[in-house]
Amino acid sequence: MNEIAAQKPKISRASDTTLTRDYYVSPDVFEREVRQVFFKQWSYAGHVSQIPNIGDFFLHSYAGESLIIVRESAENIRAHFNVCRHRGSQLTEAPSGNVKRFVCPYHQWTYELDGRLKRAPMMPDAECIDYEKLSLHMAAVEVWAGMIFINLASQPEQTLIEALGAPPAGLLKLEPERLKEICRDRLLVKANWKTLLENYLECYHCAGSHPELGVAFDIQSSFDQTADWGGTCFLGGEPLRKGLVTVSMTGELVSKPLGRHAEDRTPELEVAEGLGLLPVLTRVLLHIDHAVIHVMNPLSVNEVEWTSYWYVRDDAVEGQDYSVDKVAEVWRATNAEDKQLCERNYKGVLSRTFVPGPLNPRAEGALRPVLDVYLRMMDQ
Ligand code: FES
Ligand SMILES: [Fe+2]
């Protein structure tokens, strides 16, 4: 049983509401969020399979920042801000690649994979500048069960392992480090990021709006589970409908069983592993045959990017073991529905007449505790 299911559901108070209008529309609030929230919390950046060799890198955008996620050594991955320490040029625009060093295209300052300045043409070390003081700015990076997470703070208040704990046995059995990405969708949602967060935190809207999701997930018990999402992170997946083995339009497997489940002869295992990071949501869902990871990236007060990555086991063969359309079908449809719901919701919130109404204490129990976490971060 996962950690969430082991806890007793809380019921929110009937007087709970979402936040006042300013929190969703004010550019000043967004600026404060950059410092108080976006630069403090952990978020998913990618998978170790993207950078297997030393020097492999990929670019990752988060909260208006460009980060270079690079494999510095067999053991170490770094996340450098893509900002030259000379006059600030981006070091690379390539979405991914392999390098020995990063050479700034402007005046050829050259950096090691670990971010140290190695050479500045016509500016030798210790003559007019101190190379040691001009390393690339770093974000914190941690690999947890093969997944790469970043925190824009170079020294976060809590490491990810402190926040989440070690990966549980059920999750490790799926061998999440042995996945390969098969597709990713990026949706631009014209809404405040908290509108999208609130939408994800409740399934009050699911029965009326998500016919595909209702095929796979046990929506009723997800009401109870989300009521426990009160901190900045949690472990656990979403409960599937009874008798189903995975999330797909038919409830049947859409790829080879992951990890050590390949040897199982009992496919009725209801595997629901995963994790969530809050308040800027990262949601990892691991099923018996595939994984989906959703990541929120706030762009401005009224725009947020929602990226979904889909993974199967690394030796699965397209056309034989899986088809991308079938693996991604349920969440693709659901994401498109949520985009429309959130954009319509946000248009209403923009009205000067908007005041937050009472939340459903039985089906929207997660909203207020998560918003309270957010408010505490904003007030620090
Ligand atoms: S801005 Fe990078 S070398 Fe000048
Ligand atoms: Fe939804």
Side-chain angles (χ1 to χ4, degrees):
M1 184 181 281
N2 66 47
E3 200 168 281
I4 296 172
Q7 295 167 8
K8 203 165 174 290
K10 291 188 284 275
I11 302 295
S12 66
R13 294 155 300 192
S15 57
D16 282 345
T17 67
T18 52
L19 304 174
T20 51
R21 181 178 176 273
D22 254 16
Y23 278 98
Y24 305 94
V25 305
S26 158
D28 292 344
V29 168
F30 187 83
E31 275 312 304
R32 191 166 168 75
E33 287 171 347
V34 174
R35 291 191 307 278
Q36 298 295 106
V37 181
F38 309 156
F39 265 73
K40 290 196 171 169
Q41 85 154 81
W42 288 95
S43 172
Y44 182 74
H47 191 264
V48 286
S49 57
Q50 290 171 257
I51 44 174
N53 303 310
I54 294 172
D56 284 351
F57 74 89
F58 65 89
L59 289 189
H60 176 68
S61 296
Y62 181 67
E65 299 293 339
S66 169
L67 294 162
I68 306 171
I69 315 289
V70 60
R71 179 168 293 283
E72 173 213 346
S73 65
E75 299 77 32
N76 267 339
I77 291 174
R78 299 257 188 177
H80 302 300
F81 284 83
N82 191 6
V83 179
C84 179
R85 294 299 308 274
H86 177 218
R87 277 171 46 210
S89 171
Q90 289 203 324
L91 297 170
T92 179
E93 290 176 325
S96 62
N98 179 281
V99 290
K100 288 211 167 7
R101 294 185 184 89
F102 293 102
V103 182
C104 179
Y106 205 172
H107 314 93
Q108 287 74 50
W109 281 29
T110 300
Y111 300 87
E112 303 283 15
L113 297 179
D114 66 5
R116 278 177 302 137
L117 180 61
K118 181 177 171 59
R119 197 176 91 85
M122 296 183 281
M123 297 174 80
D125 190 14
E127 204 174 282
C128 53
I129 54 169
D130 183 351
Y131 281 18
E132 248 187 38
K133 296 199 172 115
L134 290 165
S135 298
L136 296 174
H137 292 300
M138 257 189 332
V141 59
E142 258 180 79
V143 177
W144 192 94
M147 295 172 269
I148 304 168
F149 295 88
I150 51 112
N151 189 318
L152 295 183
S154 56
Q155 293 188 314
E157 286 159 17
Q158 240 189 346
T159 64
L160 190 65
I161 194 102
E162 282 166 0
L164 270 180
L171 186 140
L172 290 177
K173 193 176 175 190
L174 293 161
E175 295 182 345
E177 68 287 355
R178 285 197 49 207
L179 296 174
K180 71 167 175 181
E181 185 183 331
I182 56 165
C183 68
R184 78 175 73 165
D185 286 359
R186 281 191 203 285
L187 281 186
L188 178 67
V189 182
K190 291 185 182 146
N192 183 265
W193 66 273
K194 297 184 293 302
T195 306
L196 188 59
L197 168 69
E198 290 161 5
N199 175 72
Y200 196 94
L201 290 174
E202 52 90 0
C203 222
Y204 193 20
H205 69 279
C206 293
S209 300
H210 292 319
E212 303 82 6
L213 207 61
V215 170
F217 288 111
D218 181 345
I219 288 173
Q220 190 55 49
S221 47
S222 76
F223 285 171
D224 298 339
Q225 292 214 352
T226 53
D228 286 309
W229 296 2
T232 54
C233 65
F234 60 88
L235 289 174
E238 306 271 355
L240 300 182
R241 284 178 62 149
K242 253 211 150 2
L244 295 193
V245 292
T246 191
V247 172
S248 67
M249 285 306 288
T250 60
E252 286 162 12
L253 296 183
V254 284
S255 189
K256 290 164 93 167
L258 298 182
R260 301 199 290 282
H261 288 287
E263 297 124 41
D264 285 346
R265 289 287 165 260
T266 51
E268 59 270 46
L269 278 171
E270 286 166 37
V271 177
E273 298 288 345
L275 65 94
L277 300 173
L278 295 161
V280 183
L281 186 72
T282 283
R283 184 66 170 122
V284 174
L285 294 168
L286 292 157
H287 304 297
I288 197 162
D289 57 343
H290 73 282
V292 57
I293 301 182
H294 306 295
V295 187
M296 196 182 267
N297 173 23
L299 300 178
S300 67
V301 68
N302 53 19
E303 282 182 324
V304 52
E305 188 179 66
W306 177 252
T307 303
S308 298
Y309 305 78
W310 284 270
Y311 300 88
V312 297
R313 60 182 289 151
D314 55 6
D315 59 358
V317 178
E318 188 172 5
Q320 190 178 307
D321 300 311
Y322 70 91
S323 95
V324 172
D325 287 348
K326 285 211 161 46
V327 176
E329 197 172 11
V330 169
W331 276 111
R332 269 198 178 145
T334 305
N335 285 343
E337 290 151 5
D338 279 330
K339 172 178 158 73
Q340 200 183 30
L341 292 169
C342 289
E343 290 183 345
R344 197 188 297 131
N345 185 176
Y346 191 60
K347 281 183 188 158
V349 170
L350 287 174
S351 164
R352 276 85 175 170
T353 66
F354 168 73
V355 281
L359 293 171
N360 181 331
R362 299 203 166 270
E364 294 174 299
L367 271 69
R368 195 64 219 192
V370 173
L371 291 172
D372 285 341
V373 168
Y374 158 82
L375 288 176
R376 279 200 294 278
M377 291 174 86
M378 287 289 275
D379 287 344
Q380 272 165 13

